[in-house]
Amino acid sequence: MALRSLVARKSLGLGFQSKAKILAVGSTAHSRGFQTFSLPDLPYDYGALEPAISGEIMQLHHQKHHQTYVTNYNKALEQLHDAIAKGDAAAVVKLQSAIKFNGGG
C-alpha cells in the first residue's frame, strides 16, 4: 500500500520535488526530495477547553503525544524513501505498518 501510494505520488509529482506545492497543513519540502511534516499549532489556547479538559492535559497531549507521532512518521517516511531508492522491497513492506500507525496518530 505504501509503495503504491508512493509511486502514485511520484507519478503525480507530489512531495518529491523541492518546488512541489505542499498539500498538507504543517508540512515542508525537505531538501532530500521528499515531504516531511511538522506539528501544527493549535488554533486555540491549551486552556480553552477547561473545565472539561485541563490546559495541562491539552499541552501534554499536543506537545508530547502528538509530536511523537509526527516525529516517528517523518522517520518512517525517510526510511521508506531510502528503501525505495535502494530497491529494497522487503523494507518497503515492513515500513507500511509504521507509516499507517504514526500517520494515523
Side-chain angles (χ1 to χ4, degrees):
M1 180 63 111
L3 179 59
R4 181 176 16 171
S5 171
L6 193 61
V7 170
R9 292 174 112 200
K10 188 171 186 176
S11 67
L12 293 174
L14 301 176
F16 285 93
Q17 299 171 0
S18 60
K19 295 181 182 178
K21 185 184 258 186
I22 303 304
L23 301 176
V25 174
S27 63
T28 58
H30 195 278
S31 63
R32 284 185 158 178
F34 64 94
Q35 187 174 341
T36 60
F37 297 86
S38 61
L39 183 65
D41 292 331
L42 291 178
Y44 50 86
D45 186 62
Y46 290 127
L49 300 176
E50 288 183 349
I53 301 174
S54 75
E56 183 180 358
I57 293 297
M58 286 296 296
Q59 184 175 8
L60 176 72
H61 178 78
H62 183 252
Q63 292 180 349
K64 302 290 183 186
H65 185 72
H66 191 69
Q67 181 62 57
T68 301
Y69 282 121
V70 173
T71 300
N72 290 337
Y73 185 61
N74 285 330
K75 181 180 172 183
L77 289 177
E78 182 175 0
Q79 291 172 347
L80 177 66
H81 181 74
D82 292 343
I84 289 173
K86 292 176 184 175
D88 187 354
V92 170
V93 171
K94 186 177 178 181
L95 288 165
Q96 287 181 5
S97 62
I99 290 169
K100 286 182 200 177
F101 179 78
N102 292 296

